[in-house]
Amino acid sequence: AQSVTQLGSHVSVSEGALVLLRCNYSSSVPPYLFWYVQYPNQGLQLLLKYTTGATLVKGINGFEAEFKKSETSFHLTKPSAHMSDAAEYFCAVSALNQAGTALIFGKGTTLSVSS
Amino acid sequence: GAGVSQSPSNKVTEKGKDVELRCDPISGHTALYWYRQSLGQGLEFLIYFQGNSAPDKSGLPSDRFSAERTGGSVSTLTIQRTQQEDSAVYLCASSPLRDIGEQYFGPGTRLTVT
């Protein structure tokens, strides 16, 4: 069984500050890990994904995440927040090598960015 | 190309009525998923279709929920005898088999049961 825990339902940062959104997962098999973003009144958009290989993954809009197996974590970071980053962010896990497996999502973290 | 589309975008219905929600996946995507997004519950998996295989219905919350996928393309999610707790945003996603886990989401249908 797999699960995802996102620590902090709401994170507030100032424009230009570091963004850190936390995600821990539980999986009995090697996981595929994802971060999705949902802007207000829009659908989910993939930010980045980890499947195999390099543990530091770069995504769109300057975001990156690092897979740390020892910590069962996949935290999302961005060095400098922009006002346009305000959105809801979801971490998700699926099972490695199972094509088409449904994603298991965390409950989401709302990011607010102030000027 | 065109993304995943869903209709209607908003649906208000009275308690006890049946509703049908439609999803048009990206052309050529063999996998199709339905999720439900509600306040306090996050995103919940409902059902998954892969090609012509029997669907994975393990996420359906009750037997009032059902879904079909015709011709391996368009899918319809049906909720019978709607209840107020069914109010949520219903999201559809599709995926090409080669991109394990990467799913492309539609804009969702916001269902309100009064």
Side-chain angles (χ1 to χ4, degrees):
Chain A
Q2 297 163 306
S3 65
V4 173
T5 302
Q6 291 184 241
L7 299 175
S9 59
H10 199 133
V11 171
S12 297
V13 300
S14 300
E15 194 172 20
L18 171 71
V19 175
L20 171 60
L21 304 183
R22 299 178 186 274
C23 172
N24 288 89
Y25 70 90
S26 173
S27 179
S28 56
V29 297
Y32 280 4
L33 294 160
F34 306 82
W35 276 99
Y36 280 84
V37 60
Q38 187 176 34
Y39 297 103
N41 300 314
Q42 295 186 28
L44 275 76
Q45 179 182 1
L46 180 68
L47 268 180
L48 49 79
K49 66 178 180 181
Y50 167 79
T51 54
T52 58
T55 56
L56 181 62
V57 180
K58 295 185 184 300
I60 62 172
N61 301 336
F63 284 93
E64 62 183 36
E66 186 171 10
F67 169 61
K68 292 187 176 180
K69 184 178 178 180
S70 62
E71 299 178 7
T72 60
S73 69
F74 192 58
H75 302 330
L76 182 70
T77 60
K78 182 174 180 178
S80 177
H82 193 273
M83 297 292 286
S84 61
D85 294 328
E88 190 161 18
Y89 292 79
F90 294 92
C91 183
V93 63
S94 71
L96 180 67
N97 291 332
Q98 291 188 26
T101 301
L103 294 170
I104 306 300
F105 286 90
K107 292 191 181 298
T109 297
T110 300
L111 176 66
S112 299
V113 182
S114 58
S115 57
Chain B
V4 177
S5 61
Q6 293 185 245
S7 61
S9 56
N10 281 283
K11 176 72 176 179
V12 180
T13 190
E14 293 180 352
K15 178 181 172 181
K17 296 286 181 67
D18 298 352
V19 295
E20 287 189 351
L21 312 180
R22 177 187 168 105
C23 172
D24 282 271
I26 294 173
S27 177
H29 281 191
T30 57
L32 186 148
Y33 309 79
W34 283 98
Y35 294 88
R36 178 169 69 176
Q37 185 177 21
S38 50
L39 284 175
Q41 297 297 320
L43 279 149
E44 304 170 86
F45 162 70
L46 296 177
I47 188 169
Y48 155 60
F49 296 89
Q50 175 58 53
N52 295 320
S53 302
D56 176 354
K57 304 179 182 180
S58 59
L60 294 179
S62 79
D63 59 7
R64 297 186 294 105
F65 288 72
S66 63
E68 290 184 340
R69 188 179 186 192
T70 54
S73 181
V74 172
S75 177
T76 302
L77 177 69
T78 301
I79 309 174
Q80 295 178 309
R81 305 181 302 282
T82 52
Q83 305 293 312
Q84 287 187 330
E85 60 263 29
D86 299 334
S87 296
V89 176
Y90 289 83
L91 293 168
C92 176
S94 69
S95 176
L97 188 62
R98 66 180 182 276
D99 283 331
I100 296 175
E102 181 168 348
Q103 298 175 17
Y104 298 80
F105 284 80
T109 293
R110 182 175 297 278
L111 175 66
T112 303
V113 182
T114 61

